[in-house]
Amino acid sequence: MSLLEDKVVPGRESRLDACIAYGGTACSLKGENKGCLKNQERAFSQSGLCQLLPTMGMLLTLPDTAVVVHGAIGCAANGISTVIGIRLRNVQKGNPNAKEGIWVSTNLTESDVVHGGEEKLEQTILETYERYSPKSIVVFQTCTPSIIGDDVASVIDRVRDKLDIPVLVAYCEGFKTKVWATGYDVAFHAIVHGFIESDKEGRPPRREPGNKRERPLVNVINLASVGKPDEDEITRLLNAIGIDVTIGPNFANRETIRNMTQADLTISVCPTHDDYFIDYLHKEYGVPYVLKDMPIGLENTRAWLLDIASHFGLENQAKAFIDAEEKKVLQAVAKYTPALSGKTVFLSAGEFRALVTGALFQELGMEVVGVRSYHHDHFGEEYYEKLVKNQNGKNFSIDIANFQPFELTNLLNKIKPDLFIGHVNDNIWAAKLGLPTVTIFRIFDSYIGYQGFYAVAKKAARVLKNFSFNKNLAKHTKNPYKLSWYEKNPFTFIKVQEAALSSEQNLMETQNEKGVAAQ
Amino acid sequence: MSSNFIEKPRYQCALGGALVTINALNRAVAIVHSAPGCASAADGAAKSGSGYWGTSYCNGRATPSTNILEKEIIFGGESRLAEQIAGTLDIVDADLYAVITGCMTDIIGDDVASIAGRFKAEGKPVVVAETGGFKGNSASGYDLILSALIAQVVERGLEKVSNQINLLGLIPAQDVFWRGNLLELKRILEDVGLQVNTFFSPFDDLASLKTSSQAAVTIVLSDVYGLGAARAFEEIHGIPFVNIPLPIGPTATKEFLEELAKHIAIDQTVLATVVERETAGYYAYLQHVAELYNDLDLQRFAIVVGDANYTYALTRFITDDFGWIPYFVAVTDIIDDADKAKVAERFSLLPPELRPKLIFETDTSRIAVALRAEVADETDEYSSPISPAFVLGSTWDRPLAQEFKAGFLSATYPITNRVVTDQAYAGYRGGLRLATDILSTLISNR
């Protein structure tokens, strides 16, 4: 199946065999059976995310779009932090008074749970259209209406007949997948079906193959969490070798998104974020793609840029540009490397981002001693080995976890790295252990390309210079675990799946347990 | 308010309210029995919306949660819950573990009480409340979990202590200044000779919750929040309750103390001395900015947006103490007609010439529509009737202030444009703090 054919987006555990529970080392992961890994669970777990959050994180960025969250009121509480990021992006673009994102909740109550919420949803969509005059509306289906059997698809069909704007639909019930990154796929699915496939004007025609542009035009798939400095750097790198860029679909309007079908190449900045959409553009519009690297760190940026250049015969320009840029940036960071060289680093983020950032720190002379990845899939596979090879075979710990800070805290307490690199929301756990942290995914900073290489080196050296804030924090605050927890293996609660135990058998077992409980 | 939907809700669901309430209790930890994401979504909103309360002890992504999926929805989640409670007791260091539920588990009908009961029977400090999101908003969650604690944790049969009171009605995080407010009120009340249970300050412990059945009276600092919990204290522990609105500034705080004295014995001389001392303290500072206030003409027409507690408390302060003209008030709670009447009655106590237009409206954009209509009626060729204006509301009301060229201070949930730690707006020092913050924003371009 594919984005075009899927009525509802499959969870990444089934589409990509993605796994969220594994503890071991970079070398041990290689030998694991993927079919078993994806079924691994925890007997004790902490709150993850549901797929609604990343879905909303992307779709709320669409300009002049109103989001209707069909569900209990708390599901729409998510918007509060999402709009801060969107507002700051507008500030970055010099537009601090841009219209704030609009989202509403159908606020399903106890009575709606009994009587159904379809009518309420339909009225809400129509009233949202009347009240805010948006250029498009996105409807989110959540757990509660899904369980009580609200037929959202029929409601969408009815309102599409009544409204002259695109109506997008995102099925993002939290209980449907344990891999919240599925939410990215849901957002792409909503965008493609809403703005392209079910659009009133129909889908744009496929571009004539002979219709050659003077300079190639490529799509760069952006992320809601990547800021303007990084987008500017991507544009600079590609423009420098003679390539024009369209950035989307986050923060892009319908026209820009439809035009993405006409590009000469689609470029991923994060394979694990983009593959579902890129595959669609390729299959339906014949747009070739680059989907294997992330331009973070020198080696990765080089590989990414050369790969793109090779599609257009621009390798020579690219090589010359890369050589010049590397030379320049290495000279510039030389003043920071003495403070960094020989230090150990632990990284925590989405798998791909964590791994490529690990390579960046290796290039600064540091050693990777641990990686916590939010999930694992084949996109990350070879990078674990690559990192081990880069540091002369030195293995490192890995924790595949949809957050689960209890494992992270235990692991950090054992490994005691010199520096912690964490996604937003991860750094606090390292901070409370007194470690210096470098945050990644701060939208005002650079991480990508040569600007990013320099900025990260500078920041790491600065943070290491004085982290008394965190050292004091560790002395005076406490993590919420018993001391005995730190003596245990951090992966004690992961229920390791033996091969051949299928998910159907899992269901049977649960059924039996339930039967026993009922007796 | 639309009959169909809520725009940009300024609250979480019942689960979110219960979760944040637990997280605000020292050494209490929640065990959320729900789909993945419920816990971090609900309290993620509170973490940033409350002036960055942020990560407390075991909240946010550290919240123990069963993260149930389709499998449990089909076959039931009870065994998963039992496993999760056992794991939590094994590694999480707390003195109270509160099992709370989300929509999914309430709909499929897991018998959470009997699962939790097994652990309770072993002497584990586990409590349970069904808090499915569709049961209401944060206010409902606050009442549901507090009622559960009052029934399951608060000790029975203790002797009453005649000068002890319980303070309820300020929902942690929904009242962004709850910690500062509780401590300021406690300071004043202790000075007039009372023992005060505030429960949710950083200096409180579970011991005071357990013995709170000793209190002689419960003060609910709200007309609409915390009444369920107050009734639980009354029904289970025989403690009567009284509603006295959240006081900000010298006038309201004096009235608060005098009203309180009708319900619990307070030495009148002591009360008078404290009122005199605190009022003098307030003016000892305020006099120094009085010149600024007069020279720069810092009187404003006020637009107040927020929950029932704050809209009234802020309006009273700017009217009675700060000498402003309240013009328009929007109460953003989801409340029924009876509660609306109670809130409206409070406003009717203001002098008629200073009584603002009062609306009940959950939706931010409709507040602007109502204010535009109000202003349009009175605008003449020289100016708008509300110039110079000032908006006291949430960060989401900043565009409203921009539209009306008004000054702006965020004082009601959600507040994401400043950090709140120990600041209080309640009481004497809180009133001074609010005056200071308002004046600071008015001169911030100097």
Side-chain angles (χ1 to χ4, degrees), chain B residues 169-420:
Chain B
L170 306 185
I171 304 173
Q174 285 292 129
D175 178 342
V176 177
F177 303 89
W178 87 97
R179 292 168 293 183
N181 286 346
L182 288 171
L183 288 172
E184 166 65 358
L185 293 175
K186 186 180 173 112
R187 181 185 72 85
I188 301 164
L189 294 170
E190 283 181 349
D191 280 358
V192 298
L194 300 179
Q195 289 179 16
V196 189
N197 297 318
T198 51
F199 311 117
F200 299 107
S201 90
F203 310 107
D204 282 314
D205 57 25
L206 289 169
S208 69
L209 174 68
K210 287 180 188 157
T211 57
S212 59
S213 50
Q214 295 173 324
V217 61
T218 299
I219 309 301
V220 186
L221 296 159
S222 173
D223 289 314
V224 294
Y225 305 144
L227 293 167
R231 277 188 212 105
F233 266 128
E234 184 170 56
E235 282 160 21
I236 301 167
H237 303 286
I239 305 172
F241 68 92
V242 52
N243 299 88
I244 314 180
L246 174 71
I248 298 179
T251 308
T253 309
K254 178 170 183 274
E255 250 182 59
F256 169 81
L257 292 171
E258 286 167 354
E259 178 64 23
L260 184 60
K262 294 178 191 161
H263 303 279
I264 191 160
I266 298 176
D267 185 315
Q268 288 300 319
T269 324
V270 174
L271 194 152
T273 311
V274 169
V275 166
E276 196 182 329
R277 185 194 73 201
E278 292 293 324
T279 308
Y282 174 88
Y283 283 102
Y285 285 104
L286 198 79
Q287 62 176 341
H288 296 286
V289 289
E291 190 170 35
L292 197 69
Y293 182 101
N294 284 279
D295 285 351
L296 302 186
D297 184 16
L298 299 181
Q299 186 187 54
R300 293 290 182 267
F301 291 98
I303 295 142
V304 182
V305 184
D307 64 39
N309 286 9
Y310 267 93
T311 43
Y312 179 68
L314 292 167
T315 302
R316 277 218 63 183
F317 173 74
I318 56 168
T319 310
D320 296 337
D321 295 330
F322 210 55
W324 280 15
I325 318 292
Y327 181 83
F328 181 88
V329 171
V331 177
T332 54
D333 293 304
I334 308 173
I335 46 177
D336 61 19
D337 288 345
D339 280 347
K340 284 179 188 169
K342 282 197 260 177
V343 175
E345 203 186 320
R346 291 281 178 205
F347 279 92
S348 72
L349 300 173
L350 294 167
E353 68 281 11
L354 290 174
R355 218 171 280 161
K357 163 85 175 173
L358 173 67
I359 65 164
F360 293 90
E361 177 56 65
T362 57
D363 298 357
T364 303
S365 69
R366 303 257 287 198
I367 293 168
V369 171
L371 181 58
R372 267 175 230 140
E374 194 69 21
V375 170
D377 280 351
E378 295 181 51
T379 301
D380 59 30
E381 60 181 300
Y382 293 103
S383 120
S384 138
I386 56 166
S387 175
F390 195 95
V391 173
L392 281 163
S394 82
T395 302
W396 289 350
D397 302 306
R398 183 167 46 191
L400 185 78
Q402 279 159 352
E403 180 181 339
F404 289 90
K405 298 185 172 54
F408 169 72
L409 177 70
S410 52
T412 63
Y413 183 93
I415 294 178
T416 57
N417 67 327
R418 62 184 181 130
V419 170
V420 176

Side-chain angles (χ1 to χ4, degrees), chain A residues 5 11 39-40 51 58 95 114 131 173 207 214 253 258 276 285 359 378 413 421 430 444 506 512 517-518:
Chain A
E5 293 150 351
N39 289 324
Q40 293 200 162
Q51 51 172 337
M58 285 179 64
N95 192 13
V114 177
R131 193 190 287 185
E173 303 96 316
R207 194 159 164 266
E214 207 171 296
N253 60 24
R258 286 171 68 85
Y276 198 54
Y285 284 92
H378 70 272
N413 199 53
I421 314 297
F444 285 88
N506 273 334
N512 289 339

Side-chain angles (χ1 to χ4, degrees), chain A residues 264-292:
Chain A
D264 296 309
L265 179 73
T266 302
I267 297 170
S268 164
V269 179
C270 176
T272 202
H273 183 270
D274 306 331
D275 76 295
Y276 198 54
F277 181 47
I278 281 178
D279 176 67
Y280 165 82
L281 291 174
H282 180 233
K283 276 193 186 139
E284 300 306 315
Y285 284 92
V287 183
Y289 57 83
V290 168
L291 179 75
K292 65 172 195 218

Side-chain angles (χ1 to χ4, degrees), chain A residues 41-50 72-74 76-78 80-81 84 87 97 100-110 113 120 123-124 127-128 131-132 143-144 147-148 174-178 403-406 424-425 428-429 432 478-482 485 488 493 495 507 510-511 513-514, chain B residues 2 4-9 11-13 35-37 39-41 45 47-49 52 55-58 60-71 73 75-76 78-80 83-84 87-93 97 103-104 107 110 133-136 334 363 365-366 396 398-399 402 413-414 416:
Chain A
E41 285 167 4
R42 288 177 173 82
F44 168 78
S45 57
Q46 292 169 306
S47 178
L49 287 184
C50 74
I73 198 162
N78 272 321
I80 195 166
S81 13
I84 298 174
R87 185 188 141 72
N97 296 326
E100 306 229 337
I102 281 289
W103 74 99
V104 306
S105 165
T106 53
N107 184 27
L108 292 186
T109 60
E110 223 152 358
V113 169
K120 203 172 183 182
Q123 285 309 315
T124 297
E127 219 175 309
T128 296
R131 193 190 287 185
Y132 309 108
C143 294
T144 296
I147 288 205
I148 63 174
F175 71 86
K176 288 274 177 80
T177 175
K178 55 186 174 187
F403 309 123
Q404 311 305 324
F406 75 106
V424 171
N425 287 101
I428 181 65
W429 311 114
K432 285 179 97 173
K478 188 184 169 312
N479 273 306
Y481 311 107
K482 294 181 178 172
W485 169 237
K488 289 185 183 154
F493 285 95
K495 296 189 263 188
L507 282 181
T510 317
Q511 198 169 20
E513 280 172 36
K514 171 90 178 172
Chain B
S2 153
N4 290 305
F5 64 85
I6 306 280
E7 175 190 317
K8 293 164 73 166
Y11 6 73
Q12 296 91 56
C13 57
S40 44
K47 277 171 68 183
S48 39
Y52 302 91
T55 294
S56 61
Y57 183 60
C58 196
R61 290 173 186 176
T63 310
S65 169
T66 54
N67 301 342
I68 59 163
L69 297 168
E70 212 147 17
K71 182 173 76 181
I73 306 258
F75 299 114
E78 292 174 6
S79 60
R80 174 72 193 97
E83 178 184 59
Q84 178 70 18
T88 308
L89 292 169
D90 187 17
I91 72 163
V92 175
D93 181 22
Y97 302 83
C103 296
M104 294 299 90
I107 292 175
D110 276 355
F134 54 79
K135 291 191 167 135
I334 308 173
D363 298 357
S365 69
R366 303 257 287 198
W396 289 350
R398 183 167 46 191
Q402 279 159 352
Y413 183 93
T416 57

Side-chain angles (χ1 to χ4, degrees), chain A residues 146 171 213 237 255 315 395 438 487 492:
Chain A
S146 175
Y171 293 96
R213 292 184 174 93
L237 299 182
E255 289 64 36
E315 291 95 327
N395 201 0
V438 168
E487 288 154 21
T492 306

Side-chain angles (χ1 to χ4, degrees), chain A residues 28 70 74 84 153 179 195 221 238 248 267 282 342 409 433 439 441 517:
Chain A
S28 71
H70 185 39
I84 298 174
V179 187
F195 286 141
I221 310 299
L238 295 173
I267 297 170
H282 180 233
T409 304
L433 294 171
T439 182
F441 287 111

